[in-house]
Amino acid sequence: VPTEPMAPPQPGPAPEDWSIPSLPEDVAQEAFKSFASSQCCYSEAPAKNGVITNMEVFNTYRYRLETFTESRSTEWATKPHEGELADFYTQTAPRPWEVQATPPSHFTNHTEEIRVPYTSSIQDCNSCHATGKIQCQQCNGSGFDKECWVCNGSGTKNDESCSHCDGNGKERCTECDQGMKECETCKGKLRVLTYIKLKVTFEDIMKTNIHALETLMTKDTFSSHFQVYPLLGFPNTAIVEASERLVREQQSKYTQNSRILQQRQTVELIPVTKVNYKWKGDSHVYYVYGNENKVSADNYPATCCCVIQ
Ligand SMILES: *[C@@H]1O[C@H](CO)[C@@H](O)[C@H](O)[C@H]1NC(C)=O
Ligand SMILES: *[C@@H]1O[C@H](CO)[C@@H](O)[C@H](O)[C@H]1NC(C)=O
Ligand SMILES: *[C@@H]1O[C@H](CO)[C@@H](O)[C@H](O)[C@H]1NC(C)=O
Ligand SMILES: [Zn+2]
Ligand SMILES: [Zn+2]
Ligand SMILES: [Zn+2]
């Protein structure tokens, strides 16, 4: 994560400087050659023998705004009663934002569920009428489901009672115990705890905008932490405008059930060099971009048309 403050912008280049590429020709050609050799059916000839005629430098700013928010919502909830105390209104229950919740390490998504103090009461489980058990759906409570495969459901084999199913003709149900299952609502505890559940959601929301620009800057990253102000004084209006708009948009969005804990914005500079070259008398183009000199060449002149099947 880049953390240095922004260096003062360098003066832009004079127009005649545009013919002087910031990327040396041999570096561009090397990048192009390794690109060609990494493609499965590209001939290396154009990359090796092509002659660079002109290089133009563009820069792309990538602006990114991240907003780390916390939202809270409440709902009634029920869980099996496992010995909790019923504290319903023994004191006034705290309101959602009065409950203590610890944010995770910043800028990571996380959800926490908290039982709000002084909202819990204990009730008999309705689903199982406080028996802890419900009828098995698989066998309709009979305890047996499919036909016995040994006697084909007849209960007899070779004129004797079938030993596999004890003469019942049916297989024992594997889902239950004699037609009954543990109640899922109370997990067999017979009683449930009803309470107000507070859901706290921490979210990292990111917005990205990309703008191309033809100015050179030497410093390649700028970032600011905490609640941000729009990027005042940044030497690119499109970026400043995007920043102002997005910051305003996000700040107005998080007011009611949520709040902004932290924001950060970064501006990255991605250098792009357009390389014009000649090969066998024709002009072609490729692009070298990024700090790792990646290459993009959509109309590479010597690809074989082999079809792999
Ligand atoms: C259980 O009952 C339903 C509806 O009454 C029926 O469709 C289903 O076949 C029964 N299942 C078994 C295993 O008896
Ligand atoms: C059960 O059915 C199968 C095929 O339908 C048959 O081959 C087998 O002999 C039957 N078994 C009995 C015990 O009836
Ligand atoms: C965090 O949540 C946001 C919004 O729901 C989502 O856009 C983002 O991709 C999530 N981040 C991670 C790392 O899962
Ligand atoms: Zn069953
Ligand atoms: Zn049987
Ligand atoms: Zn129950």
Side-chain angles (χ1 to χ4, degrees):
V1 178
T3 53
E4 308 115 278
M6 181 175 65
Q10 305 298 304
E16 57 269 28
D17 288 342
W18 283 108
S19 57
I20 304 168
S22 65
L23 187 71
E25 279 190 18
D26 58 335
V27 175
Q29 190 136 20
E30 266 323 299
F32 195 31
K33 274 197 258 179
S34 61
F35 163 79
S37 65
S38 71
Q39 305 294 308
C40 92
C41 16
Y42 281 22
S43 153
E44 286 184 46
K48 267 191 186 144
N49 307 326
V51 176
I52 294 176
T53 53
N54 183 32
M55 287 168 71
E56 294 167 78
V57 181
F58 302 91
N59 283 323
T60 301
Y61 285 113
R62 186 167 81 159
Y63 170 75
R64 198 155 66 159
L65 173 65
E66 260 180 288
T67 302
F68 186 56
T69 65
E70 175 181 354
S71 326
R72 296 189 171 204
S73 64
T74 53
E75 61 187 57
W76 281 102
T78 292
K79 70 177 285 302
H81 180 234
E82 290 164 312
E84 298 91 346
L85 289 179
D87 59 3
F88 188 77
Y89 269 85
T90 51
Q91 286 185 41
T92 308
R95 284 174 299 195
W97 289 98
E98 293 170 348
V99 176
Q100 189 73 31
T102 317
S105 66
H106 275 180
F107 295 101
T108 52
N109 292 347
H110 176 70
T111 299
E112 211 176 311
E113 290 185 348
I114 298 169
R115 184 154 56 91
V116 177
Y118 314 121
T119 62
S120 298
S121 56
I122 300 165
Q123 277 129 26
D124 282 350
C125 177
N126 275 332
S127 306
C128 62
H129 305 289
T131 61
K133 288 183 175 172
I134 50 162
Q135 191 179 316
C136 174
Q137 303 261 300
Q138 178 76 16
C139 62
N140 293 337
S142 69
F144 299 96
D145 56 359
K146 41 188 190 306
E147 256 182 16
C148 172
W149 62 272
V150 177
C151 63
N152 292 345
S154 67
T156 55
K157 195 182 170 191
N158 305 330
D159 298 326
E160 283 176 30
S161 177
C162 172
S163 58
H164 184 72
C165 61
D166 291 332
N168 283 310
K170 287 185 169 181
E171 300 263 357
R172 215 166 269 286
C173 175
T174 53
E175 298 285 307
C176 65
D177 178 22
Q178 297 178 354
M180 299 303 278
K181 293 175 77 166
E182 186 182 273
C183 170
E184 284 174 15
T185 309
C186 66
K187 294 270 184 290
K189 306 277 186 219
L190 319 194
R191 299 203 292 175
V192 291
L193 191 77
T194 302
Y195 61 98
I196 291 178
K197 180 168 78 182
L198 172 67
K199 207 168 149 189
V200 185
T201 307
F202 298 98
E203 257 178 327
D204 179 23
I205 290 139
M206 195 179 296
K207 294 260 171 176
T208 305
N209 258 35
I210 298 185
H211 289 275
L213 181 88
E214 295 174 356
T215 310
L216 289 172
M217 256 182 69
T218 51
K219 189 79 193 130
D220 68 359
T221 51
F222 164 67
S223 84
S224 89
H225 289 260
F226 317 112
Q227 190 107 346
V228 298
Y229 296 95
L231 287 172
L232 292 172
F234 193 77
N236 176 280
T237 355
I239 292 287
V240 173
E241 279 167 15
S243 162
E244 279 170 356
R245 183 171 53 76
L246 291 172
V247 168
R248 204 175 331 113
E249 194 180 290
Q250 300 232 320
Q251 287 178 350
S252 64
K253 209 164 139 187
Y254 300 102
T255 47
Q256 288 214 315
N257 298 321
S258 47
R259 62 180 175 182
I260 293 176
L261 297 178
Q262 206 178 29
Q263 277 183 308
R264 67 182 168 192
Q265 57 188 351
T266 54
V267 180
E268 280 172 85
L269 181 65
I270 304 164
V272 180
T273 303
K274 181 180 178 188
V275 182
N276 298 281
Y277 69 103
K278 277 202 159 163
W279 183 64
K280 290 192 171 173
D282 291 327
S283 292
H284 305 278
V285 169
Y286 64 91
Y287 293 89
V288 184
Y289 63 93
N291 295 325
E292 293 121 49
N293 293 334
K294 290 193 181 142
V295 169
S296 158
D298 284 346
N299 296 306
Y300 193 77
T303 61
C304 71
C305 304
C306 55
V307 178
I308 300 161
Q309 285 187 332

